[in-house]
Amino acid sequence: MIARWQRGALLLGFALWALASGLAWAQGHPALALAFTGLALGGHAAWLGLTVLLMRRVQRASGVAPPAGADAWRSWWAECRAAPRVFAWRQPFRTHAEPDVWPADAAGRQGVLLVHGYLCNRAIWNPWLRCLRARGIPAVAVTLEPPGAALDTHVPTLAAAAQQLWLRTGRAPLLVGHSMGGLALRAWWRADGGRTPVAGLVTVGTPHQGTWMALWGHSDSARQMQPGSAWLRQLAADEARLRAEGSEAPAVLSVFSPCDSIVFPTQGAVWPGGEALAVAGAGHVDLLQHAAVFEAVCQRLEGARAEAGGRRH
């Protein structure tokens, strides 16, 4: 569904650009035609620049020092390059270009469940799926639909994917969520109550305590991701209750960027009580392109494999 929407938006944008620039050129206004072209190619950069300025302002207001200007604008440039690849190519046209990874010796190998964020689909993980395939690591990347639905709506999809990994590998899967995907995985664990074994949870740019950018959203999931939302408070309370009742909660690693201009203030991207890994100079989507993030996930897999081996002996 999100792929169709994004293809439609791209085609509509192309048609509007062709019409506006063509009319301007035909009427003897080449500078205006070039301006329309510049807007079509760089409009997203201007919007991302505004989010960087807003992030820095909110950080100061919340008592957190904003990132250095050079780091913030380096992350802006990285995000300007990453966003078109994801939103104008992979997601609209390459949703199923990289299938889930099932090596011949999947049984007995640790697997990974990959969950995307807001207004995304499974194609955001295409480079990761290629790397995981090269390493022989079983992996399932889901698409959460319908877009904008309340996060608990996706519990059955995640339950089915986690169960598939468990049944085909015989090992507890590692959960990896980008942005909203991390919250969706927490919602699944709450609903599951710890009955399905998991090897841990890695969240990447996830608004554990909400993000200011969600204040401009009108969908159910956007309202749930607003700072201090009733849904976030209830999620944390339910997780605490389940742990107190003896449910084995997954160890959480929060990967975040101090320069993230989609999830801010920065402290909102860290799950309280878990480990945290900061990636300097990275943008929100750009986080998934950093080798340090992928290697952190692989290290978690190695740790889970070693722990399971120790229990068998």
Side-chain angles (χ1 to χ4, degrees):
M1 185 181 294
I2 196 68
R4 291 197 300 271
W5 288 5
Q6 291 178 348
R7 284 197 299 269
L10 285 168
L11 291 172
L12 177 61
F14 179 80
L16 291 174
W17 164 78
L19 177 63
S21 59
L23 285 174
W25 196 275
Q27 295 177 7
H29 302 291
L32 185 58
L34 290 174
F36 284 131
T37 301
L39 180 64
L41 295 175
H44 76 289
W47 182 82
L48 288 169
L50 291 175
T51 67
V52 169
L53 294 174
L54 178 61
M55 174 269 290
R56 291 175 62 81
R57 181 174 180 177
V58 171
Q59 293 278 71
R60 290 193 189 95
S62 66
V64 177
D71 287 342
W73 293 111
R74 186 167 71 249
S75 73
W76 166 80
W77 178 238
E79 196 76 351
C80 286
R81 289 179 286 127
R85 287 197 292 268
V86 170
F87 295 102
W89 175 240
R90 284 186 210 151
Q91 292 187 168
F93 304 108
R94 305 285 290 172
T95 305
H96 300 289
E98 296 293 337
D100 294 337
V101 182
W102 296 111
D105 59 347
R109 298 182 70 92
Q110 206 84 39
V112 185
L113 174 55
L114 302 171
V115 185
H116 64 79
Y118 193 67
L119 296 182
C120 291
N121 65 22
R122 69 185 302 280
I124 198 171
W125 299 106
N126 282 358
W128 280 50
L129 288 167
R130 287 193 293 272
C131 292
L132 291 167
R133 183 172 292 106
R135 298 192 185 200
I137 298 172
V140 171
V142 299
T143 291
L144 304 180
E145 293 186 331
L151 292 170
D152 297 284
T153 303
H154 306 306
V155 164
T157 298
L158 299 177
Q163 189 70 9
Q164 183 185 30
L165 278 161
W166 171 252
L167 290 174
R168 293 190 64 168
T169 67
R171 302 286 299 279
L174 180 68
L175 313 176
V176 182
H178 177 246
S179 194
M180 182 197 77
L183 292 178
L185 284 165
R186 287 176 58 190
W188 166 74
W189 184 82
R190 171 176 63 179
D192 184 75
R195 291 183 294 273
T196 303
V198 296
L201 170 61
V202 179
T203 65
V204 184
T206 290
H208 290 291
Q209 300 173 58
T211 171
W212 271 62
M213 288 299 290
L215 295 172
W216 283 267
H218 300 289
S219 67
D220 289 340
S221 55
R223 285 192 289 269
Q224 289 174 326
M225 291 188 286
Q226 292 174 359
S229 73
W231 187 85
L232 285 173
R233 293 197 305 271
Q234 188 62 54
L235 177 65
D238 289 344
E239 288 171 329
R241 174 181 54 80
L242 287 167
R243 288 194 298 272
E245 293 172 353
S247 297
E248 187 175 352
V252 180
L253 171 64
S254 303
V255 181
F256 70 98
S257 170
C259 300
D260 193 330
S261 64
I262 300 299
V263 173
F264 57 87
T266 297
Q267 63 269 28
V270 177
W271 189 81
E275 295 181 60
L277 171 65
V279 181
H284 185 66
V285 173
D286 172 58
L287 269 168
L288 294 181
Q289 299 184 145
H290 283 253
V293 180
F294 182 78
E295 291 303 325
V297 168
C298 291
Q299 287 171 15
R300 290 267 158 162
L301 285 169
E302 290 294 333
R305 187 178 299 119
E307 183 179 343
R311 285 198 297 267
R312 285 196 295 272
H313 294 296

